[in-house]
Amino acid sequence: MYDPNRLAALVAVAEAGSITRAAARLGYTTPALSQQLAKLEREAGTALLVRHHRGARLTDAGELLVARARRVLDELEQARHEIARLTGLSGGTLRLGTFQTAGMQVLPPVLSAFRRAHPDVELTVAHLEPPAGVAAVAAGDVDLALTHFYEPAEPVPLPASVAVEPVLVEELVLVTAPGHALADGTARLPLTELAGQPLISMAPDHPARKGVEAVLARAGATPSVLVATPVYALVCALVSAGLGIAVVPEMVARMAVTPVGTRLLEPGDLRRTVSVAYRTDESAPATDAFRALLRGAFGRARQTAGQAGR
């Protein structure tokens, strides 16, 4: 049996003429798509593609499989539409809320997969920085919202009608100006090394960051610039300009549009958990399907956290 997702990947390469272009079309990275194609070739027991400097072309076996795959995928797509009509996923709207970093890195591939599976469901996305997303779910303004919680922090009470499901756990990392001495090294940097360092302080009175800010203060980092709310693009720009160091989520460091140095910290117990908030007193096929895609895309954060020793 051939995996339908891998068959779809091969068809996409045949249509795009390039693994890179096909990956962009499908919402994958090029290495991830290449791995799927390699697995398909192992399943087939023969080469399906010839890779060359201008892209990729199908072998004779690849041409044969693509012709059959198109028919199989068409049948599967028809089956999805028929099942969707039975389960309530043939129309309607899925309203999502997200904060900026999740909206740029977590949400797009899952939305792409949802659209492929359920093309008739209208999607709306609202920018809701935590804790506004949870409040919007409770009020019925959105169906689901990506939100976040920091560690250490005081527990945040949730409305009775709302629950959260962890999606992704990420460490907080040090960001510095390029070439900064603290970013020079691959070993984890002890928090004690932050003593006396000028810190871009992100809302020490903000509930979400308050516990993290307290840890950094105890380590001896000296606030030099206060950003009243955690606007991470601004924080990274200030860091890049040499106005201080900062401790931000890994996703933020990867997304920085200004050059920064990064380093893992020791101990690695400063974290941010990205979760999806949903209503517990009602259920809809579209929200259930989207949450399932989130779980499939990122794995269960509780398992990730357990492996990290939480």
Side-chain angles (χ1 to χ4, degrees), residues 154-302:
E154 292 294 324
V156 177
L158 293 171
S161 61
V162 176
V164 294
E165 179 178 1
V167 171
L168 179 69
V169 178
E170 56 178 341
E171 285 191 39
L172 305 189
V173 300
L174 177 71
V175 288
T176 70
H180 194 287
L182 291 184
D184 183 19
T186 56
R188 287 181 176 270
L189 182 74
L191 279 176
T192 53
E193 294 296 313
L194 302 184
Q197 290 292 328
L199 177 72
I200 309 295
S201 182
M202 283 161 284
D205 296 324
H206 189 275
R209 287 275 313 193
K210 197 169 183 178
V212 173
E213 295 287 330
V215 170
L216 298 177
R218 287 196 296 272
T222 306
S224 69
V225 179
L226 174 63
V227 178
T229 56
V231 182
Y232 283 122
L234 171 60
V235 168
C236 289
L238 296 176
V239 167
S240 183
L243 292 168
I245 62 168
V247 175
V248 304
E250 289 176 289
M251 273 197 293
V252 171
R254 290 198 301 268
M255 286 173 55
V257 295
T258 49
V260 294
T262 64
R263 191 160 176 188
L264 293 174
L265 295 167
E266 177 66 40
D269 54 3
L270 300 180
R271 297 193 182 97
R272 181 174 76 168
T273 298
V274 178
S275 301
V276 59
Y278 61 96
R279 291 185 65 88
T280 57
D281 57 356
E282 56 187 52
S283 179
T287 59
D288 293 343
F290 193 83
R291 286 172 54 205
L293 284 172
L294 278 170
R295 286 193 295 271
F298 298 98
R300 292 187 179 274
R302 283 184 291 274

Side-chain angles (χ1 to χ4, degrees), residues 5 48 78 145 149 152 166-167 188 207 230 259 282:
N5 291 324
L48 302 173
Q78 182 62 33
F149 304 94
V167 171
R188 287 181 176 270
E282 56 187 52

